[in-house]
Amino acid sequence: MADHLTDNLKRPLSEVLDENKMPKKRFFRTRAHCNPLSYNDGFAYPVAPDEFDWTAHYPNIPEEDRVVTVLDIGMGFGGLTVSLATSLPNNLVLGMEIRAKVCEYVRLRIEALRVDHPGQYQNSSCLRTNCMRYLPNFFRKHQMEKIFICFPDPHFKAKNHRRRIVSHILLSEYAYLLKPGGRLYTVTDVEELHKWHVEKCEAHPSFRRVPDSEALANDPGVRTMLEDTEESKKVARLGGNKHFAVYERIADFHPEDGATGSSSSSDSKFNTHIMKLFE
C-alpha cells in the first residue's frame, strides 16, 4: 500500500493509520451532511453499467460473480456496510457516499479488515458518488436485492426537501434497481422525516410496506440496520428513538399478461395506477 492518501487528506498513511492499520477517525472528520444538488461535478461514472470495471472493488471475487446486489446509500463511516458483509456473505455489498474523506476512511477500513480477517470482507466495498444522480449508470434494472437508507440528512427546511434522498422520483429509481421481492430499508431518529419516508413510500405504486413485526422477526437486515451503524449506536447512547420502515418491491404489471407477477392483494394499488396509464 502506497504511503499516501488522496488529495483530500494530504497526509501520509503512517500518520492516519493505527498500529492495526485501521484508519483513525479523527483525521477523516468532515461536515455531517452536504448539499447533493451542488455536488454535480468531479464524479467519474460509466455511460452504462456494463462499462464499469468492479475489479478494484472486489479483486478476489471471480469476474462472473462481481454483481452488486446490496446497496448502503449514504454509508457514513461504513458500520452497516462492513456488518452486512458478514451477515450476507453470498452478496456483494457496496456502500456509497458523497463525502470524499468519509469514503476514503471506509476504503481503508475495509482494506484493514480484509488483512485482519483473511477470507472475509472480500464482498464489501465503497464508492464515492452522488446517489441522487448516477445510480442507473452503475446498476442494471432489477439488479438489487436490498437497498438501505440509514439516518439520512433530514433537510428540515421546506425549501430543502427536494434534497431528501427519499422522494417519488428517487423511489422510482430504487424500484427500477430492485428486483421484485427486493426490499428498501429506511431508518431515522427524526420522527418527522420517518413520516415523510412512509408517506412517499405508501404513495408509490411499486412498494408495499412489510409489517414491522414481520420485518423484525424474519429479516436480519433490520436488526443490523438498527444496531450496527455509527449513527444508530449514537442514538442508542443518547437514549433517542429509531424509526424504521421496510418496503417490498411489488412485481411489475404487464398489460399483455392481464395480471401481475404476484397474486398478493397488496398489488391492487400498483395495478390501478398502471392501468390508468393505458386508458
Side-chain angles (χ1 to χ4, degrees), residues 184-230:
L184 175 70
Y185 303 74
T186 68
V187 63
T188 177
D189 59 329
V190 179
E191 186 175 9
E192 184 274 327
L193 182 62
H194 170 66
K195 291 178 179 178
W196 169 281
H197 290 166
V198 171
E199 175 190 342
K200 299 304 178 185
C201 291
E202 294 284 350
H204 199 285
S206 293
F207 293 98
R208 73 165 188 90
R209 187 166 184 177
V210 179
D212 292 352
S213 58
E214 177 186 333
L216 280 168
N218 303 323
D219 191 335
V222 177
R223 288 290 181 189
T224 304
M225 170 180 71
L226 291 174
E227 298 174 2
D228 289 353
T229 70
E230 282 78 8

Side-chain angles (χ1 to χ4, degrees), residues 38-86:
S38 68
Y39 276 70
N40 302 328
D41 300 321
F43 292 101
Y45 56 91
V47 175
D50 291 341
E51 295 185 13
F52 191 75
D53 186 358
W54 293 100
T55 304
H57 292 270
Y58 307 99
N60 295 311
I61 300 294
E63 181 177 358
E64 63 272 16
D65 295 331
R66 291 188 195 126
V67 180
V68 175
T69 55
V70 179
L71 282 185
D72 179 10
I73 293 179
M75 66 182 172
F77 286 96
L80 180 65
T81 299
V82 298
S83 290
L84 290 172
T86 55

Side-chain angles (χ1 to χ4, degrees), residues 5 9 23 33 38-39 49 69 99 102 110 140 167 199 206 250 258 268 270:
L5 289 178
L9 283 173
H33 304 289
S38 68
Y39 276 70
T69 55
R99 295 167 295 169
V102 176
I110 292 173
R140 298 187 301 275
S167 67
E199 175 190 342
S206 293
I250 298 171
S268 59
F270 179 75

Side-chain angles (χ1 to χ4, degrees), residues 13 58 61 147 154 217 233:
L13 280 176
Y58 307 99
I61 300 294
I147 296 177
K233 294 175 182 177

